Structure formats: C-alpha cells, structure tokens
Amino acid sequence: MKNANTPMEFIQKLLENNSTEAFAIAAGIATVAFFVFISIRGFINTRLRKLADRTSLGWDDVLVEVLGGTYGWMLFLFAVLIGAQYIEFSDKIETRLGQALMALVFLQIGFWLSSGVAYSLKKKAARHEANNEGASATAIAVAGFTIRLVLWSIVVILVLDQFGFNVTTLIASLGVGGVAVALAVQNILGDLFASLSIALDKPFVIGDFIIVGDVTGTVEHVGLKTTRIRALSGEQIVVSNGDLLSSRIHNYKRLRERRIVFQFGVLYDTPADLLESIPGMVKSIIESTDNTRFDRAHFFSFGASSLDFEVVYYVTSDNYTTYMDAQQRINLAMVQQFGDKDIGFAFPTRTLHLESAPKGFGAVEPPAGDTDSPSEDTPRKAPSAAQAEAS
C-alpha cells in the first residue's frame, strides 16, 4: 500500500487494499483479544488474592498490587493493535503501529513497577510508623518519590526513542533547560534537597518535640518542601525545610536526662557550722527524690545580700513534668529542713550604718565679745514657724 498524502486518500487506499472480510476479521480478533485479556486479568487477580489471604508471604501481596496496575484501556489498545496486524497498511503506518505497540509495552511495565514500588514502600512506612520509627517513615516517603520519578523518566525516554526521537539530543537539551529551570526555582529545589537531607541525616522525625528559633512544638509532617509543627499553643506552624536546616535545632525528644543547675542564698548571719552542713542537706534531699541523680552542691559566692550556694543534679527522664515535679519536691524539702535548723533564705536587703560625728565637728564658734550670742548654758529657743520658713 502506497503512502497517502491526506486522510481521505489514506482511507481510500485502505478500503481499496482491504476487503470487508479483512476488517471483520481484524475487529473480531481485537474483540476476542480484549475479552481474553480481561478474563485472564480477572482470573489471576482472583486466584492471587485468595492465595495472598491464606498466606503470610509478602511477595504475593506485591504481585496482586502489580497486576492491579493493568488498566482496561491499556488492554483495549493492545487488542486493537493486535487486530490491526490483519489489515494491510503502508510501510510507514506499519512501522508506526509497531512502535506504538512497543510504547504500550513500556508504559504497562512502568505502571506495574510503579504499583509495586508504591505498595512495598507503603507497607514499610506503615510498619515503621507502627513501631514509632518516624525517621524511617519519612525516609521511605522521600525514597518512593525519588524512585518513581527516576522510573517514569526512563519510561518516557524509552517511549520517545521508539518513535524516532534523538534521545541523546533530547537529554542534552533537557540538561541545558534544567539548568535554567534550576536557577528559576532554586528555592524550591533547595527545600527539596533539604527534605532529602532530613530523611537521610534524621535531625528530627515525626513526633519529635523541637525548638527552632522562636518555633516550639511537635513535628507532625515532613514534606518535600515544608515541615509542619504543632505548637504548644495549639496552632500548626509551617516552616520550609531549608529554613529548618539553616537553623539550630533543639531536639528534646532525644533528651536522655536533663542537667539542672539552680542557686539559692542564705542570710549573712548564718553560723559557719550550718553553712558547712548545707551541701550535705541538699545532697540527701536530692538523693531521696525519685528520677534524680545528685552531682554537686557548693557554697560558691558572697553575694550582695546573701551567701550563695550552687547545686547541680540530673533528672533521669526526658519528661518535662517529671523534672518540674522533682524540682518542686526538692524546693519544699529545703524549705522544711532549713526552717527546722533556723537557716533563713536571703532576700535583697541593704543595711545602712550611721556613725555620730566627733564633738565640736562642724560646730560654729560664736565671735568673741558677741553679747547677743547665747552661752552654752542658755537654752535656745525654738525658731518660730516664720523664721523656719524664712531660713
């Protein structure tokens, strides 16, 4: 069959070179092939699902999901291309039909692999989330996106290669264009690579309590561009992944024990023997408190209005409420025991010492011969109110 220049010529040549019987046979073969494909798919899916329900194996579940990626419209196109083999076309059209058949094969393989990868990663992510392994679940989500992106990039390249595109030139062009696109969306790509860093390096995972700058809360979701944090006040805070990695992250979920340093002061008139006994008293109080480990207690400074002590101990729990309960018990016990020994806690005070001036210091001697000046033995009269006001 010679090549046709217009659709009408193509149809005319097609009708001239093929009989009605040939079209009927091609249509019949395509119809039978389609129903055979559908029946085989249904039979295999049914048998495999029953087998998967009776066994604890993982491969049969994956195979069921893979076959679930066999779409009806793909089977219809396969059936049409098979039936078209019984119709005479031009060499160019037959070549294109063969290319289309191979392209459909590559697409179907892509759907199968994508379904299998998605199902496998979904099962692994669910298992890690059930075990409170938020880091692995985050890494699996990012890995799934990356794998499918690479997979479909390869499928598209293979399909284009089937239709005669110069794949090498296309890849080179995409490389140049990719540089331009990367420069235009560098912030988005920065957040994308930051999400990969979070998934691989695991500075935090879903469920961790973190502080980043002025943001404090629990990580709820780690996406490709942003991370969502539930703040203590209840609202959700969305932070870009790039901003997170460029900041200092305080991860309190990984806190194994908490080091506590606190200070207190006692009065300056506390006797030396009581001062010496205070570190031992504090040590016994801390050692008798649950979830704590004593480190040290020292009289370390002479303050402006107190004799200052410094205490260091550890709370062997990452729970903040546990720490506050322990500190409260320590404070109450110190108040009680210090009160029993008459040790007073200091508070800001200032003592003013006044000294009387020596006799005659600053006194004015009356001039000699001044008879109006009263003698020492003469009592002085109190000045009147008018004199006091004038002075």
Side-chain angles (χ1 to χ4, degrees):
M1 180 177 176
K2 296 182 180 180
N3 296 332
N5 296 324
T6 63
M8 292 301 297
E9 292 180 357
F10 170 76
I11 295 174
Q12 183 178 359
K13 294 292 184 182
L14 187 63
L15 295 175
E16 289 176 355
N17 292 276
N18 295 277
S19 62
T20 303
E21 182 181 357
F23 285 111
I25 293 174
I29 291 175
T31 302
V32 171
F34 177 69
F35 282 106
V36 168
F37 290 155
I38 292 294
S39 301
I40 292 175
R41 185 187 67 172
F43 176 76
I44 294 177
N45 281 342
T46 302
R47 294 296 300 271
L48 278 178
R49 288 189 184 279
K50 291 181 179 179
L51 177 63
D53 293 338
R54 292 197 303 266
T55 64
S56 59
L57 301 176
W59 63 267
D60 50 1
D61 295 328
V62 176
L63 189 57
V64 168
E65 291 296 324
V66 166
L67 292 179
T70 306
Y71 299 105
W73 61 271
M74 291 288 293
L75 297 178
F76 175 77
L77 292 178
F78 275 119
V80 170
L81 290 176
I82 291 174
Q85 302 298 318
Y86 292 88
I87 298 177
E88 183 180 351
F89 294 98
S90 65
D91 295 338
K92 183 177 180 180
I93 297 298
E94 289 181 356
T95 301
R96 293 300 184 191
L97 290 176
Q99 293 171 342
L101 181 61
M102 289 303 301
L104 287 177
V105 170
F106 289 136
L107 285 175
Q108 185 57 70
I109 292 175
F111 285 126
W112 283 339
L113 293 177
S114 181
S115 299
V117 168
Y119 178 77
S120 300
L121 294 179
K122 181 180 179 180
K123 293 285 288 184
K124 288 185 177 181
R127 186 166 60 252
H128 287 299
E129 288 179 356
N131 296 330
N132 293 324
E133 299 177 5
S136 299
T138 304
I140 288 172
V142 176
F145 173 80
T146 305
I147 292 173
R148 280 178 287 180
L149 179 63
V150 173
L151 170 65
W152 283 108
S153 298
I154 295 174
V155 169
V156 170
I157 290 174
L158 292 175
V159 170
L160 293 176
D161 183 61
Q162 283 298 312
F163 287 101
F165 288 92
N166 191 337
V167 179
T168 304
T169 304
L170 177 63
I171 294 175
S173 301
L174 290 176
V176 175
V179 173
V181 173
L183 292 175
V185 294
Q186 55 183 336
N187 291 334
I188 298 176
L189 292 177
D191 290 330
L192 175 61
F193 285 112
S195 69
L196 294 176
S197 298
I198 292 172
L200 297 176
D201 194 45
K202 303 177 181 65
F204 57 84
V205 297
I206 296 173
D208 283 2
F209 183 85
I210 64 173
I211 296 178
V212 183
D214 59 348
V215 177
T216 301
T218 303
V219 178
E220 287 191 336
H221 174 76
V222 180
L224 294 176
K225 188 180 187 304
T226 61
T227 294
R228 300 168 195 168
I229 301 173
R230 181 67 60 180
L232 291 176
S233 52
E235 75 274 14
Q236 186 182 74
I237 302 175
V238 181
V239 186
S240 67
N241 294 327
D243 291 342
L244 281 176
L245 292 187
S246 63
S247 305
R248 288 183 175 86
I249 301 173
H250 300 263
N251 193 332
Y252 285 90
K253 182 65 177 293
R254 299 177 186 177
L255 183 71
R256 295 295 175 262
E257 57 182 16
R258 190 185 300 267
R259 184 176 185 266
I260 308 301
V261 180
F262 72 93
Q263 299 174 359
F264 63 91
V266 298
L267 298 176
Y268 259 96
D269 57 1
T270 305
D273 57 339
L274 290 180
L275 290 176
E276 188 175 0
S277 67
I278 288 176
M281 294 171 58
V282 175
K283 178 180 179 181
S284 64
I285 291 172
I286 294 177
E287 288 180 344
S288 63
T289 303
D290 295 335
N291 302 311
T292 60
R293 187 178 78 253
F294 177 79
D295 185 33
R296 63 178 179 85
H298 292 94
F299 169 33
F300 84 107
S301 174
F302 293 89
S305 58
S306 62
L307 302 175
D308 297 330
F309 287 79
E310 184 175 74
V311 181
V312 179
Y313 72 97
Y314 291 87
V315 177
T316 58
S317 172
D318 61 348
N319 188 277
Y320 187 79
T321 303
T322 301
Y323 151 59
M324 291 303 299
D325 290 341
Q327 185 65 59
Q328 177 177 260
R329 288 193 293 269
I330 292 170
N331 292 341
L332 293 175
M334 288 176 60
V335 170
Q336 181 178 0
Q337 294 190 22
F338 282 28
D340 294 341
K341 293 183 177 293
D342 292 328
I343 300 175
F345 287 99
F347 50 87
T349 58
R350 176 173 295 177
T351 302
L352 184 62
H353 295 276
L354 299 178
E355 295 184 0
S356 59
K359 186 176 180 180
F361 182 77
V364 179
E365 294 293 336
D370 189 354
T371 59
D372 294 333
S373 297
S375 64
E376 294 182 359
D377 297 333
T378 303
R380 298 176 179 269
K381 294 181 178 179
S384 65
Q387 292 174 337
E389 184 176 357
S391 62

